[in-house]
């Protein structure tokens, strides 16, 4: 059976996902697309052999849509996910699941009431081969008991927004990734910042976030959304007997002009192309078989990351002071192993 996917939002991420589903994922076809800019949606429809729907509600109700991929503005996610659950259609929603904790709770509760799994969240790092390998090494004790993590997340440039947007849209990846790697929830956060870059006056950039997980590991997380030089994701786990880190740079080394150099990706679509393909393949397979891919983040994972993001944003007003993270009861039981 071919899974007919409706794509809501055809900006950079949505159009990339539509292309990947069409060209690289077996048993999937993009059947309907929509966007607030219908011209842009029309271009993606023409490239993928889909048709356009006038709006998201029409797309979700469309009989030619078996499952929905949401890649529209973060502020639209909650209502669209709830509409998919109400329509009985599986949905893969880009991160964040929702901007408020209350909306995440509504989604978790609505899904629970159905007794079925409908919601997956686009925490694509869980599908990046190097990050998966790093997690396996940490889990099998290759570095001994983990003590510290150093993570950095740098973008060339960014979308409009304030310092909180850097947390909700960018840091959110690591807010999911760190507990997922350690198998331990984030229980305490604090925030600090150096002098801000002059190139992005409307927000604090970079930001330095400290995260403590229940196992006692402390993680430093640098978010630098206007780093200019390249898209650079760094991650090192330090244990009692060794460390494991993502290798820097690309696969090739160039030599010219008395210089040895490695390529740096321009953006997340390039850096995580493989992860997106694996994530979409896993999601389509779960829709086809009705058996959830265990690597796909679910609604509770989306809720937990948003809870931590809010704690970090609260911490911005009081740099250096640690604060505890309180999860709503609906997010129990603890972080999945
Ligand atoms: C974007 O939405 C992503 O998912 C990227 O991985 C992240 O680096 C970027 O900051 C976000 O805007």
């Amino acid at each position: 059976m071919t899974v007919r996917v409706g794509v809501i939002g055809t900006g950079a991420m949505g159009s990339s996902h539509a292309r990947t589903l069409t060209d690289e994922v077996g048993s999937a076809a993009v059947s309907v697309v929509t966007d607030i800019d219908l011209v842009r949606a029309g271009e993606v429809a023409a490239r993928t052999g889909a048709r356009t729907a006038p709006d998201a509600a029409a797309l979700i109700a469309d009989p030619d849509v078996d499952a929905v991929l949401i890649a529209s503005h973060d502020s639209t996610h909650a209502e669209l996910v709830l509409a998919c659950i109400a329509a009985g259609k599986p949905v893969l929603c880009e991160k964040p699941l929702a901007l408020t904790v209350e909306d995440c709770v509504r989604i978790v509760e609505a899904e629970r009431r159905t007794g079925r799994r409908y919601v997956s969240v686009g925490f694509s790092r869980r599908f990046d081969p190097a990050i998966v390998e790093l997690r396996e090494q940490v889990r099998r004790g290759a570095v001994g008991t983990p003590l510290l993590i150093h993570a950095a997340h740098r973008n060339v440039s960014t979308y409009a927004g304030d310092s909180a947007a850097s947390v909700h849209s960018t840091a959110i990846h690591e807010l999911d990734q760190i507990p997922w790697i350690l198998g331990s929830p984030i229980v305490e956060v604090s925030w600090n910042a150096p002098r801000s870059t002059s190139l992005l006056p409307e927000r604090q950039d970079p930001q330095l976030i400290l995260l403590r997980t229940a196992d006692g590991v402390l993680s430093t997380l640098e978010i630098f959304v206007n780093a200019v030089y390249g898209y650079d994701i760094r991650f090192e786990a330090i244990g009692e007997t060794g460390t494991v880190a993502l290798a820097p740079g690309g696969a090739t080394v160039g030599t010219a002009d008395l210089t040895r150099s490695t390529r740096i990706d321009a953006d997340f679509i390039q850096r995580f192309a493989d992860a997106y393909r694996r994530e979409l393949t896993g999601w389509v397979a779960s829709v086809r078989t009705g058996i959830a891919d265990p690597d796909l983040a679910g609604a509770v994972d989306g809720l937990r990351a948003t809870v931590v993001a809010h704690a970090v944003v609260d911490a911005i007003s009081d740099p250096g002071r640690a604060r505890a993270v309180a999860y709503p009861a609906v997010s129990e039981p603890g972080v999945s192993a």
Side-chain angles (χ1 to χ4, degrees), residues 146-283:
L147 305 171
L148 264 179
I149 286 175
H150 293 306
H153 186 154
R154 300 182 189 147
N155 291 221
V156 174
S157 59
T158 194
Y159 44 84
D162 57 8
S163 303
S166 300
V167 177
H168 283 290
S169 300
T170 297
I172 195 96
H173 277 294
E174 281 82 5
L175 302 186
D176 175 70
Q177 184 184 333
I178 289 170
W180 175 74
I181 286 177
L182 294 172
S184 184
I186 295 168
V187 292
E188 186 189 275
V189 305
S190 63
W191 183 94
N192 225 316
R195 171 166 78 182
S196 197
T197 172
S198 61
L199 304 177
L200 194 64
E202 69 273 17
R203 60 173 114 173
Q204 169 62 48
D205 193 47
Q207 304 182 20
L208 189 62
I209 298 164
L210 290 192
L211 305 163
R212 190 180 297 280
T213 33
D215 56 6
V217 174
L218 188 64
S219 301
T220 65
L221 169 57
E222 172 205 315
I223 298 298
F224 192 6
V225 297
N226 200 74
V228 178
Y229 71 88
Y231 187 74
D232 201 1
I233 299 301
R234 302 182 182 197
F235 199 95
E236 181 179 22
I238 295 125
E240 286 181 341
T241 57
T243 84
V244 53
L246 297 179
T252 55
V253 179
T255 37
D257 300 327
L258 303 177
T259 305
R260 184 165 290 128
S261 59
T262 57
R263 189 179 54 83
I264 299 183
D265 293 312
D267 58 24
F268 45 91
I269 294 191
Q270 216 172 31
R271 168 63 181 83
F272 287 113
D274 203 16
Y276 296 136
R277 186 177 50 74
R278 287 163 185 259
E279 175 187 54
L280 292 171
T281 303
W283 177 61

Side-chain angles (χ1 to χ4, degrees), residues 108 112 185 300 303-304 326-335:
V108 170
R112 290 234 170 118
V300 170
L303 163 63
R304 290 193 193 120
Y327 294 93
V330 74
S331 62
E332 298 301 329
V335 169

